[in-house]
Amino acid sequence: MPAVAPHLTQSASRIGVLDQAARAAREYLDGVDARTVTPAPAAVEALAGLCGPLPASPTDPEEIVRLLHELGSPATVANTGGRYFGFVNGGSVPAAMAAAWLVSAWDQNAAFRVQSPVACALEEVALGWVSELLGLPRGCGGALTTGATMANFCGLAAARHALLERAGWDAENDGLFAAPPITVVVGDEVHPSLVKALGLLGLGRRRVVSVPVDGQGRMRADALPHLDERTVLCLEAGNVNTGAFDPAAAICPAARAAGAWVHADGAFGIWAAASPEYRHLAQGFELADSWATDAHKWPNIGYDCGIALVREPATLRAAMSIQAPYLQQGEREPSHFSPELSRRARGVELWAGLRSMGREGVAAIVERTSSHARRFAEGLRAAGYEILNDVVINQVMVSFGSAEQTLRTTARLQAEGTCWCGSTVWHGRTAMRISVSNWATSEDDVDRCLAAMIRAARESA
Ligand SMILES: Cc1ncc(COP(=O)(O)O)c(C=O)c1O
């Protein structure tokens, strides 16, 4: 018999490698504030050291961790620190990060209660907490997913089931080729992940009716098409560029009265509902039938953690459930509500992060990051640059002049490394996006990054 990785069975060396990983993680996190946000080009080149052929014989786990830390850590983007403003990437609050370590040690499969009572119980509790924080109706339920893309997929799958069932059609079993048509209505500024989800569901990326939006990307309530019981109306809480909210309070009552299914993509913005100061922005979204959001964005739970919630959990179950004699058929088995069968116990991290922050901690992230966003906007405006959006939450778009000048400034800022921002095009104007989504960002970070942005703009003029 060949000696197949004998160290894998020895608990002593398991403890050694975990201690080593904890030391490496601590060293990494301790160094994050001192380093550039983007990795040095030499660090990215050095990744070649991890890219060779698979060795024929085993390698000691401590050597693996050493390699990862030596060559992998420097080639990361430091989005866990307070100076990363790309996309809508949050960080990970300490309790969620530590829970993720424990989850890896537990290695639970969160598909069925018999596989992991703790994972299933905490997922259910956390889903309840989320729906309470977001002010959603009692009795709604759902699933944890990889992200908002799959959460949109879940909400829209529940919608597809419900609308076609009403029309006497079984979408899950009979498919869509001869099904009665469903109309999907979206705003002109719909997030592409929702459109992708429509494609995955056979509802078609191009088969949508698009509603005109205003200058902030909000769906115009006065421009809605006819809605009926075969319509899925997709609203958005938090545009990825402007942070603006569709006027749900003006739209939802009539949509519901017409029998339409309202789906809300609130990947990050809907968390405004957790803050007494910002709750008014999310008003009316509680009237939807399904919601998609992310805990890995504004609530800073760490990747990956999407959340799908539906008013009538039975509709999601009908769309997602899975049957086989060897699989459990209990009341609230996670895999009957989610696209996957086997799945990571991400509910534990969600539970831990929310439990550590409490209602006030979640509200504080929303309020603090939004106040940082205003500080960025005021500082940039005072320096003579144009802010392209109404800064209602944590999103800022700035133009440094022409499209070329804005792109040059963004590239210079990215290369300089104090912070990282991406670019976008908003209604024909090229802009730099600043998304303040990390719990760790301080006022000092904002001032330091503001100075770096202004410097980059002047040097790119
Ligand atoms: C409004 C909106 N919906 C959906 C998504 C997709 O989220 P994820 O990357 O978690 O799938 C995003 C991402 O930024 C978003 O802003």
Side-chain angles (χ1 to χ4, degrees), residues 353-438:
L354 293 180
R355 177 80 162 73
S356 76
M357 287 185 277
R359 301 177 71 92
E360 289 170 10
V362 178
I365 290 185
V366 168
E367 289 159 17
R368 194 168 62 243
T369 51
S370 300
S371 146
H372 289 335
R374 282 197 302 277
R375 195 175 177 90
F376 270 123
E378 282 156 17
L380 289 165
R381 213 180 265 125
Y385 303 112
E386 189 185 357
I387 302 301
L388 299 187
N389 63 313
D390 296 343
V391 180
V392 288
I393 47 172
N394 60 339
Q395 304 295 121
V396 183
M397 275 188 298
V398 56
S399 161
F400 293 101
S402 66
E404 294 71 32
Q405 201 164 336
T406 299
L407 292 175
R408 264 202 314 276
T409 300
T410 309
R412 195 175 194 100
L413 185 70
Q414 290 174 354
E416 189 262 348
T418 301
C419 60
W420 200 94
C421 298
S423 61
T424 190
V425 177
W426 180 251
H427 293 186
R429 303 277 313 272
T430 297
M432 188 177 86
R433 288 182 68 248
I434 308 169
S435 176
V436 192
S437 303
N438 199 310

Side-chain angles (χ1 to χ4, degrees), residues 88 147-150 152 191 193 236 238 240 265 267-268 294 296-297:
V88 189
T149 304
M150 286 313 287
N152 277 326
H191 193 274
S193 67
E236 191 173 81
V240 74
D265 177 2
F268 66 101
D294 269 325
H296 59 224
K297 288 192 167 73

Side-chain angles (χ1 to χ4, degrees), residues 81-303:
R83 293 179 279 110
Y84 185 81
F85 307 110
F87 306 94
V88 189
N89 286 2
S92 185
V93 292
M97 190 191 298
W101 287 6
L102 206 51
V103 162
S104 292
W106 289 350
D107 192 25
Q108 300 287 278
N109 186 341
F112 293 106
R113 217 165 277 272
V114 286
Q115 289 170 302
S116 182
V118 61
C120 297
L122 296 191
E123 172 166 332
E124 203 169 327
V125 172
L127 282 171
W129 287 349
V130 170
S131 67
E132 204 182 308
L133 281 166
L134 302 184
L136 304 185
R138 273 179 177 279
C140 68
L144 295 184
T145 64
T146 47
T149 304
M150 286 313 287
N152 277 326
F153 174 86
C154 288
L156 293 166
R160 185 184 67 169
H161 170 85
L163 266 51
L164 287 179
E165 187 187 46
R166 270 187 231 156
W169 189 264
D170 181 345
E172 288 73 30
N173 285 310
D174 296 330
L176 293 183
F177 291 109
I182 291 178
T183 305
V184 180
V185 178
V186 301
D188 270 350
E189 287 292 343
V190 60
H191 193 274
S193 67
L194 188 141
V195 178
K196 176 176 174 175
L198 290 172
L200 294 174
L201 285 161
L203 294 172
R205 292 189 185 208
R206 238 193 342 241
R207 241 189 102 264
V208 294
V209 175
S210 258
V211 182
V213 295
D214 67 12
Q216 297 300 312
R218 290 176 292 232
M219 186 183 277
R220 275 180 37 206
D222 64 348
L224 279 171
H226 168 77
L227 305 174
D228 60 23
E229 68 288 345
R230 297 264 188 81
T231 311
V232 183
L233 171 63
C234 302
L235 300 183
E236 191 173 81
N239 176 280
V240 74
N241 285 312
T242 62
F245 293 67
D246 283 340
I251 292 175
C252 285
R256 287 182 66 82
W261 178 289
V262 181
H263 172 74
D265 177 2
F268 66 101
I270 202 159
W271 291 92
S275 153
E277 197 181 330
Y278 290 88
R279 188 166 294 153
H280 62 281
L281 293 168
Q283 206 190 334
F285 281 93
E286 73 284 357
L287 298 172
D289 297 286
S290 54
W291 302 264
T293 189
D294 269 325
H296 59 224
K297 288 192 167 73
W298 230 356
N300 280 254
I301 297 301
Y303 292 97

